[in-house]
Amino acid sequence: MFSSRTTSFSKEIMKITNGRGVDVCLNSLTGDMLHESWRCIAEDGSLIEIGKKDILDRNSLSMEPFDRNCSYRAFDLSRFTWERISEISEDVLDLIHRRHLRPLHICAVFSFENIVEAFRYMQRGSHIGKVVISFENSKITKVPIRPASQELRLRPDGSYLYAGGIKGMGGSLAVYMACRGAKNIVVISRSGYDDAKSQKVISDCKALGCHVGLMKGSVTEIDDVRRAYTTASKPVIGIIHGAAMLRDRPLFSMTLEEFHDPILPKVKGTWNLHNVAQELGLKLDFFILLSSLSGLLGQPGQANYTTGNVFQDSFATYRLQQGLAASSLNLGPVDEVGWLSSSKVLDRFFESRGWSAIKEKLLHRILRASILQQTHTLNPYSTGVMITGFVPEKPPFEAVHRFSALRPAAGSVSARGENFSGGFGRNKLDLLKNAANADIDKDTLLAAAVDVMNEVMMRNLGVKEPLDAARPLADYGVDSLTTIELRNWIRVELAIDVSVLESMRARTLKALSETVVNKLLRC
Ligand SMILES: NC(=O)c1ccc[n+]([C@@H]2O[C@H](COP(=O)([O-])OP(=O)(O)OC[C@H]3O[C@@H](n4cnc5c(N)ncnc54)[C@H](OP(=O)(O)O)[C@@H]3O)[C@@H](O)[C@H]2O)c1
């Protein structure tokens, strides 16, 4: 008998078999141990793999034993058909009947109350034979259990209203609601439902026995909202408000119309949906506002959209105060469905900032939690705003100007011992900060500025390689929003103002660094 705790067993097996190896190996070892077992197979022999780890991890196998006509055979009982299992069972029962197979001896018996002990005993890995849990020695069987999670069952006797159409996230949520038992969904959007995506959602819902009522109109028009409520074949009992519009642009160059466009569906639309429900005296099981994390953390170029989201968060609190159901979902960037899923912005912009993308399945779980929070009060301390899609270890404060007061001073060491200004040590940043007072030659300052700003750009663009300082910034996808972020960083860290025009005019990182150094020297 050899130990399977180290790889030495293979050498010992080869030694006692005079270098021949074994004909059959039933293997459940993983990693290096699996390779050692495979190496021990004799000419024409077989290794039968009963473990799954290396297969699932898609690991590789040495080709050398195949040169000796060896076979590697994977065996997973769960993939057998019932007919095959029944054949095998007959063979096994026959072997037991003829006493070729005997039961393993029982090495330890635990009562139900001591299940935990039984697992600990097995975990030590020192037993041979069966570990049995028996009720024979138990007086009262009280087993600790984890309660099953609350199941979401939507009601067939009412309608659910989705504002915002079913081309984006709405489509995925409609099908999810149909899967959870909804039989009537009514949708409102301005552009209609003739497109392929909407049609697919309608037929998927129909296949699940759910009727989708379609209403063409705007949530910002109260009469359209009234029509949506009356279009519903059964009284509306739940609302999801996902109508939204984006008009991204730096605030100072935004027109009044561009400022209002994203705000209106969120502010006026939310009021309309609420007011008509009140007018009709409807008792809603849930009122969900699809708000965004950008309202909480801010997002360059989205002053208009974030305003709408902040309003929705406050509105959820307002409804809760009235004793009405409400939940505002601060969604992070959503992958797979919705407007961002087809956009490259997801990797470049968000992930580098600690905003973690929400996959479709997780989106459904978030919706489930939000509905159950309103129908079953999962968390009695909830404020009505659910924050999602955010990785707390990566503070959002770094590049965000409005949080600058919360950060340690630039270049200083944080409580966790990290340099908050990024990877560059305090030397280069300090060098730039003292440019006006210290006698430092311009080339040294320029080199420091290129390095420091390169780090900031890498982080903002979400790229791993430093930028070529002489290459046009546009080649790296630097747009007006990235430029504004860099400008904000320069303002906060170096206390100088570089206008957006100056930043845009400097076509390369080197040219921009020169502008910065010239300004620093003039201070
Ligand atoms: N996708 C994401 O990553 C993400 C992240 C955070 C938060 N969110 C939030 O999630 C919700 C849904 O996002 P999504 O990705 O599904 O966006 P989407 O695909 O752009 O869908 C939003 C829909 O709203 C409709 N709409 C705009 N104004 C309207 C109005 N006045 N009346 C009725 N419908 C109107 C538009 O359709 P019509 O033009 O046909 O009206 C549009 O298709 C939004 O509230 C958004 O703020 C999304």
Side-chain angles (χ1 to χ4, degrees), residues 478-507:
V478 173
D479 53 18
S480 56
L481 296 182
T482 329
T483 312
I484 288 170
E485 277 196 291
L486 183 67
R487 189 194 69 150
N488 289 346
W489 183 89
I490 292 170
R491 189 189 285 161
V492 173
E493 298 296 347
L494 300 174
I496 53 167
D497 230 339
V498 178
S499 73
V500 176
L501 205 64
E502 282 174 311
S503 316
M504 304 284 275
R505 213 181 282 147
R507 291 184 62 247

Side-chain angles (χ1 to χ4, degrees), residues 164 169 190-191 218-219 242-244 266 290-291 305 331 334 338-340:
M169 222 186 273
R190 296 162 310 165
S191 62
S218 169
V219 269
K266 297 235 167 217
L290 299 184
S291 165
Y305 177 65
L331 292 175
V334 179
W339 71 272
L340 260 185

Side-chain angles (χ1 to χ4, degrees), residues 162-171 173 188-193 217-221 241-246 261 264-266 269 289-294 305 309 312 329-335 337-341 346 350 358:
Y162 185 89
I166 43 180
K167 295 183 193 76
M169 222 186 273
L173 298 182
I188 174 168
S189 92
R190 296 162 310 165
S191 62
Y193 311 91
S218 169
V219 269
T220 58
E221 299 297 328
H241 180 14
M245 191 191 272
L246 290 174
D261 277 350
L264 281 173
K266 297 235 167 217
L289 298 162
L290 299 184
S291 165
S292 162
L293 204 50
S294 74
Y305 177 65
N309 290 315
Q312 290 191 311
L329 297 184
N330 269 200
L331 292 175
V334 179
D335 202 356
V337 289
W339 71 272
L340 260 185
S341 55
L346 203 57
F350 294 108
I358 295 168

